Amino acid sequence: MSDQATLTDEQAMQVADPVLVVDLDGTLIASDMLHETFWSSLAQDWRTIFTAPAALVRGRAALKASLQRTAKVDANALPYNQAVVDYIRSWRDAGRRTALVTASNQRIADQIADHLGLFDEVHGSNGDVNLKGDKKAQFLEQQYGDHSYTYLGDSRADLKIWAKAKKAVTVNAPQSVRRGVDKLDCEAEHLTTKGVSPNSYLKALRPHQWLKNILVFLPMIAAHNFATGVLVHSLLAFISFCLIASSVYVVNDLLDLKADRAHPRKRNRPFASGSIPVSHGIWMAIGLLFGGYLVAAFTGWAFFAVMLVYFSITTAYSISLKRKLIVDVCTLAGLYTLRIIAGAVATQIVLSVWLLAFSIFLFFSLAAVKRQAELVDSAARGKLGATGRGYHVDDLPLMTQMAIAAGYLAVLVLALYLNSPSVVELYAQPIVLWGICPILLYWISRIIMITHRGHMHDDPIVFAARDRTSQLCFVFVAVLAFGGTVL
């Protein structure tokens, strides 16, 4: 009796019309759920950094099971590969069966399948078996038979599965993987839906935020000390801050994946949108951090220590402090001021108490404006609070008052400084500097009014750098400061 004669009717139908088996990570979604759940778990509980390695000792399946218990992943907002979704939908519309088979945890696979509504079967890893590579190939052969399924995958680990498939479909696979598939004894199809652009990696570094790091030059400018050594050390401090700050931005984006995907603008950030694989984030963060501290070491060990403090505070802010009421605003104001302190340490310039007081009040005001903008945006979208923050929309009037009060106090500190004896020593015509006060009053008031009307960028400093009126205010301030020096 032939082999075909021993097949049941159902098996014969499968051979003639194979089931479409779809991988999840890198195929159905432009991400990896192992990395997604790790960062989500870490955002919920900082102890994940210790519990995850302990779970990994028991195997990757145990790690995935451990992470999914604390992770909060929104299946509705994941970066789905629309071309793959359309492929699956067309297959199913033709009356053929589909299955989601993934190395991700079963619970997460079920959530994704429920959201899409495109799969007849869902199979994922449990706490004991990691459904990947050989394990997945064996499972599919037992479940559907040899060469009785079409498989959509993306990685080298899938070659063992494609070897036993009736048809292999690669999704954005590297050329080496495609060549390996073409050598197999099965029909092959290659889908290319999108590539990773270098611009996406640059965008993830947030170079527009480097503008904040210009604050390291402020001690040099305030002291009127433009010696070559001071200028070089200030420049090195600026470069170090840019690299380390970008490392922090990468980590922050990874921790904020869920919140960013729920935001109308932040959802377009590289990691949230899937334009950069989440798995690349950790290596980007480590590389930037190493480069930043290397430059810091050349700048001086005292500056290196300040950068350790900066990284510690920013990491604590990303993991926990940004969700603490008022603590987050104080931390942001402190981080701005820390840039000025770092510039002073790098150049060995003694900071003025007036400069520190002015910066604390001004940056507290701008940090409050940042939260004010988020609350205005949440109110416009009908939400009760800012996603991932400790505020409610009802807090908006109080946050606005804090921004106004701190901003005006900064101007008061400046006015008191202009009446102090130290100004006479540094400026030929101190009276010219009084023109700066009304300009700052106008600028702060306008920034808060713009925010109140819902037209503020997520970061007021970045907004100011792009706003023509703000640019003119800064030019007038610079002209007055220069005029007070030389007139």
Side-chain angles (χ1 to χ4, degrees), residues 162-182:
W162 281 315
K164 296 181 177 294
K166 181 177 182 180
K167 180 179 179 180
V169 182
T170 68
V171 179
N172 298 322
Q175 285 295 331
S176 59
V177 173
R178 291 188 180 193
R179 287 193 295 268
V181 169
D182 290 335

Side-chain angles (χ1 to χ4, degrees), residues 375 378-379 383-386 391-400:
L375 290 173
S378 296
K383 291 195 170 187
L384 295 178
Y391 301 92
H392 301 287
V393 170
D394 292 342
D395 300 327
L396 183 55
L398 287 174
M399 189 56 61
T400 304

Side-chain angles (χ1 to χ4, degrees), residues 322-345:
K322 66 183 175 185
R323 288 185 284 276
K324 304 296 183 182
L325 191 70
I326 303 302
V327 172
D328 63 330
V329 177
C330 293
T331 303
L332 285 175
L335 288 172
Y336 282 121
T337 305
L338 189 60
R339 288 171 165 85
I340 299 176
I341 295 173
V345 171

Side-chain angles (χ1 to χ4, degrees), residues 379-426:
R381 291 189 286 136
K383 291 195 170 187
L384 295 178
T387 304
R389 309 300 182 196
Y391 301 92
H392 301 287
V393 170
D394 292 342
D395 300 327
L396 183 55
L398 287 174
M399 189 56 61
T400 304
Q401 292 172 27
M402 290 179 194
I404 295 171
Y408 289 176
L409 278 173
V411 179
L412 176 60
V413 170
L414 177 61
L416 293 172
Y417 166 69
L418 295 179
N419 201 41
S420 68
S422 57
V423 173
V424 178
E425 299 175 6
L426 290 172

Side-chain angles (χ1 to χ4, degrees), residues 136-191:
K136 184 185 284 191
Q138 294 170 10
F139 172 82
L140 294 179
E141 187 174 12
Q142 294 171 1
Q143 188 78 6
Y144 306 114
D146 193 15
H147 291 82
S148 297
Y149 56 86
T150 295
Y151 182 74
L152 270 74
D154 68 291
S155 68
R156 182 168 297 279
D158 293 324
L159 285 172
K160 298 175 181 179
I161 302 167
W162 281 315
K164 296 181 177 294
K166 181 177 182 180
K167 180 179 179 180
V169 182
T170 68
V171 179
N172 298 322
Q175 285 295 331
S176 59
V177 173
R178 291 188 180 193
R179 287 193 295 268
V181 169
D182 290 335
K183 295 177 182 179
L184 298 175
D185 186 22
C186 67
E187 182 183 352
E189 180 180 357
H190 304 294
L191 299 180

Side-chain angles (χ1 to χ4, degrees), residues 12-343:
M13 185 179 297
Q14 290 178 12
V15 172
D17 197 8
V19 63
L20 177 66
V21 178
V22 183
D23 183 37
L24 178 61
D25 301 326
T27 302
L28 180 58
I29 62 171
S31 188
D32 187 305
M33 292 311 303
L34 176 59
H35 295 275
E36 290 260 354
T37 52
F38 170 78
W39 289 108
S40 177
S41 296
L42 185 58
Q44 301 300 320
D45 186 353
W46 62 270
R47 291 171 295 185
T48 298
I49 200 167
F50 302 108
T51 59
L56 183 58
V57 172
R58 303 193 305 271
R60 292 176 72 90
L63 171 62
K64 294 173 183 178
S66 174
L67 292 175
Q68 66 84 24
R69 283 193 288 269
T70 53
K72 293 184 178 180
V73 178
D74 184 3
N76 300 336
L78 289 173
Y80 291 98
N81 190 329
Q82 191 56 48
V84 174
V85 171
D86 293 340
Y87 193 101
I88 300 167
R89 184 172 286 114
S90 298
W91 185 284
R92 203 160 189 260
D93 288 346
R96 293 178 288 185
R97 295 185 306 129
T98 58
L100 177 61
V101 183
T102 172
S104 295
N105 186 265
Q106 181 71 48
R107 179 183 173 186
I108 292 174
D110 288 336
Q111 292 174 355
I112 291 171
D114 289 342
H115 166 65
L116 293 175
L118 293 175
F119 297 102
D120 299 296
E121 303 175 31
V122 184
H123 305 283
S125 298
N126 55 35
D128 300 316
V129 178
N130 185 40
L131 207 58
K132 186 174 182 178
D134 288 330
K135 294 289 186 181
K136 184 185 284 191
Q138 294 170 10
F139 172 82
L140 294 179
E141 187 174 12
Q142 294 171 1
Q143 188 78 6
Y144 306 114
D146 193 15
H147 291 82
S148 297
Y149 56 86
T150 295
Y151 182 74
L152 270 74
D154 68 291
S155 68
R156 182 168 297 279
D158 293 324
L159 285 172
K160 298 175 181 179
I161 302 167
W162 281 315
K164 296 181 177 294
K166 181 177 182 180
K167 180 179 179 180
V169 182
T170 68
V171 179
N172 298 322
Q175 285 295 331
S176 59
V177 173
R178 291 188 180 193
R179 287 193 295 268
V181 169
D182 290 335
K183 295 177 182 179
L184 298 175
D185 186 22
C186 67
E187 182 183 352
E189 180 180 357
H190 304 294
L191 299 180
T192 302
T193 60
K194 63 178 180 179
V196 178
S197 169
N199 289 335
S200 296
Y201 288 96
L202 180 61
K203 185 179 178 181
L205 304 185
R206 300 195 208 175
H208 59 280
Q209 297 283 6
W210 295 346
L211 179 67
K212 302 173 184 177
N213 302 327
I214 292 177
L215 291 171
V216 300
F217 293 100
L218 199 53
M220 175 186 75
I221 296 172
H224 298 180
N225 186 344
F226 301 101
T228 302
V230 171
L231 184 60
V232 169
H233 279 82
S234 294
L235 183 59
L236 289 174
F238 174 78
I239 294 171
S240 177
F241 251 106
C242 290
L243 292 172
I244 293 176
S246 288
S247 173
V248 173
Y249 294 143
V250 168
V251 172
N252 187 70
D253 283 354
L254 294 172
L255 292 169
D256 272 357
L257 284 172
K258 182 180 178 182
D260 286 352
R261 287 168 182 163
H263 194 277
R265 293 182 299 276
K266 294 180 181 179
R267 67 176 57 176
N268 296 319
R269 286 178 174 175
F271 293 109
S273 65
S275 57
I276 298 179
V278 174
S279 57
H280 291 188
I282 186 63
W283 302 113
M284 290 175 62
I286 291 173
L288 290 164
L289 193 64
F290 177 79
Y293 278 116
L294 186 63
V295 175
F298 279 107
T299 308
W301 291 111
F303 176 77
F304 187 93
V306 172
M307 295 310 295
L308 287 176
V309 172
Y310 170 78
F311 181 75
S312 299
I313 295 175
T314 50
T315 302
Y317 174 81
S318 296
I319 294 176
S320 175
L321 298 182
K322 66 183 175 185
R323 288 185 284 276
K324 304 296 183 182
L325 191 70
I326 303 302
V327 172
D328 63 330
V329 177
C330 293
T331 303
L332 285 175
L335 288 172
Y336 282 121
T337 305
L338 189 60
R339 288 171 165 85
I340 299 176
I341 295 173

